[in-house]
Amino acid sequence: PLTLEEVRMLVELFYLPYQHGALAQQLLEHFRWLRANSLSVGVPATAPDACGGTRWRGQARSFQRLCARTCRLHSRLVSTAGRALLYDLHPYLWDIRNLLLAASAFVLWLGCQSISAPMLLGRDAEPWARRGGLFGELQALLPVGNSCDLFYHPPPLFPSSQLYLLRPLLPLDKLGNEEGGCSEVSQVLQAQLSHAPPLPGRLLGSFLSLSPEYTFVLEDEDGPCGYAAGALHAEGFLQQRDSSWLPAIRHKYPPELGTGGAALGQEAVLFFHAEPLAVPQPVLRRFPSLVQLGTAPRVLDVGASRSLALCLLSALRANGSRGVFCQVSDSDRQQLSFYSKLG
C-alpha cells in the first residue's frame, strides 16, 4: 500500500485551490529560480561567477529529485490504489507527471555546457490557455506560449505504472561515426520506430550530426523508446544537410549496397539517395524551426509523447523560435496519426 509519506506528497500536490502544499511550493520555487538564473550556466569554471553556476547545478539536482519523486508517486498510485480511488485521482497526477517530465528535461537542457545561454522569452500565454492549480503554474513557466493543445489530453483508459525518463542527448549517446550520426541510441530507436532495417543514421543522423543540442531521448525500463529532434534555423539546417551531410552518407552507403544483402535492405539504402523535397519559402518564413518526433510501438501512453513535444518546443522557443513544422509522408499513416494525437 501507499506509505504515509506518499499520501502526504499526494495531498501537498493538490492542497487547496489557491494554496500549495510544501512539495508543490518547492517544485515551483526551484523551477522559477532555475529559469530566472539560467544565464549563470555555461560559464567556465575559472570565471569569476563560476560559483553561480555551481549553485545553479545544485539547485537543478534538487529539482530533478523532486520531479523523480513525483513520477514515482504516479507509478505507485497506479500499482497500489483501489480502482475507485485510482480513477478519481489518476487524471490529475497523470497531468502533473507529464508536465514534470518535460520540466525536468528542460532544466537538464538549460544546464548543458555546449548550449549558449538561452534568452527566455518573457511573453506569457493568454490567460484562457492556462489551467488552475499547480499544473497551470508549471505550464506558465515552460516557454511554449499558446500551444495549449498540448496541455489538453484525456488520460489513458488503462493507467500504466511505467516509469519514464526524459533527457537531452548526452555526449555518450553520440559515440560512433560522426558522418552518419551512428550511435546506440540512434540504432535502437531506428530498430524500434521503423519497419526498415536499422541502417545507422537513417532516422536521426542529420539531427545528431548538425543539431544535437535540440535532441531529446525518452527512456523506459527497457531502454530508449522515443525521441524528439529539432533544428532552430531550419533553412540553414536543410542547406547544410543537402550540401555536406547527405553527400558524405551517399558515399558511405552507395546504392549497390541495397542489392547485395538483406542486412541493409534496398529500401533503407535508397532512402539516402532519394532527392529530398524542397520546403517552400513561405513555410520557412512563418515556421522557422524543424521538428521530428517518434515513439516505439510499446509506448501507449500519449502523455509521454506529449512531454517529448513540450520539452522540444520549450527549448526551441527559449532560443527565439516563433513556429515549427515537421515533414511527414502523406502515405505514413503511423506518423500522421502520431502528430494528430499531439494536436
Side-chain angles (χ1 to χ4, degrees):
L2 291 173
T3 65
L4 181 61
E5 179 61 28
E6 287 168 334
V7 174
R8 185 178 288 115
M9 285 172 60
L10 192 60
V11 171
E12 288 177 355
L13 287 171
F14 308 100
Y15 196 63
L16 288 171
Y18 301 101
Q19 185 180 343
H20 299 303
L23 176 63
Q25 198 60 47
Q26 268 188 298
L27 282 166
L28 287 171
E29 288 172 2
H30 278 51
F31 198 10
R32 286 195 190 104
W33 188 91
L34 288 164
R35 182 181 146 148
N37 293 277
S38 61
L39 295 181
S40 64
V41 190
V43 178
T46 54
D49 70 340
C51 58
T54 304
R55 183 186 172 197
W56 192 95
R57 293 179 193 288
Q59 196 89 326
R61 283 192 292 272
S62 297
F63 180 70
Q64 303 291 330
R65 285 194 291 269
L66 288 174
C67 292
R69 282 177 63 196
T70 309
C71 291
R72 281 197 299 272
L73 175 62
H74 168 266
S75 179
R76 291 271 294 130
L77 182 78
V78 173
S79 300
T80 62
R83 296 295 96 181
L85 181 64
L86 173 61
Y87 279 94
D88 274 345
L89 298 180
H90 179 258
Y92 304 100
L93 196 55
W94 180 77
D95 267 339
I96 295 292
R97 187 224 43 184
N98 296 334
L99 208 51
L100 288 180
L101 276 176
S104 176
F106 180 65
V107 165
L108 277 174
W109 176 82
L110 284 175
C112 290
Q113 291 286 352
S114 59
I115 297 168
S116 58
M119 182 166 50
L120 294 167
L121 303 183
R123 180 178 156 201
D124 287 330
E126 297 292 340
W128 52 264
R130 197 178 304 150
R131 285 157 55 178
L134 176 62
F135 184 94
E137 294 203 42
L138 287 170
Q139 176 188 345
L141 291 172
L142 281 172
V144 289
N146 289 327
S147 305
C148 55
D149 284 349
L150 286 167
F151 295 102
Y152 293 94
H153 274 285
L157 289 174
F158 302 101
S160 166
S161 62
Q162 178 68 267
L163 282 169
Y164 291 101
L165 170 69
L166 178 55
R167 60 174 177 78
L169 189 77
L170 301 174
L172 287 175
D173 296 324
K174 203 168 172 288
L175 288 176
N177 188 315
E178 281 293 314
E179 289 177 352
C182 169
S183 69
E184 182 185 359
V185 165
S186 178
Q187 291 187 63
V188 169
L189 289 173
Q190 169 65 37
Q192 292 178 345
L193 273 63
S194 171
H195 297 299
L199 184 64
R202 176 183 173 185
L203 186 67
L204 281 171
S206 55
F207 289 100
L208 291 175
S209 295
L210 306 176
S211 186
E213 65 271 25
Y214 293 103
T215 305
F216 295 88
V217 178
L218 180 71
E219 294 182 348
D220 61 13
E221 292 157 4
D222 295 321
C225 60
Y227 76 98
L232 183 63
H233 303 292
E235 188 170 12
F237 171 86
L238 294 172
Q239 287 173 355
Q240 198 175 354
R241 181 198 68 182
D242 297 345
S243 64
S244 59
W245 184 80
L246 264 180
I249 286 294
R250 286 167 176 169
H251 177 74
K252 184 174 182 182
Y253 300 106
E256 54 268 21
L257 268 181
T259 59
L264 292 174
Q266 188 173 16
E267 182 190 349
V269 173
L270 293 181
F271 172 85
F272 291 127
H273 293 272
E275 204 56 42
L277 293 173
V279 180
Q281 278 300 317
V283 173
L284 290 170
R285 281 196 294 269
R286 187 174 175 189
F287 308 101
S289 303
L290 171 66
V291 298
Q292 181 176 304
L293 299 95
T295 56
R298 69 176 187 267
V299 181
L300 302 177
D301 188 342
V302 72
S305 307
R306 186 178 77 176
S307 299
L308 271 172
L310 283 174
C311 191
L312 177 58
L313 293 179
S314 295
L316 290 167
R317 188 170 172 82
N319 272 343
S321 176
R322 63 182 184 278
V324 303
F325 71 96
C326 57
Q327 293 177 294
V328 189
S329 166
D330 56 4
S331 61
D332 192 339
R333 301 291 176 195
Q334 187 178 355
Q335 278 293 87
L336 288 169
S337 171
F338 175 78
Y339 287 117
S340 298
K341 285 177 183 173
L342 288 181

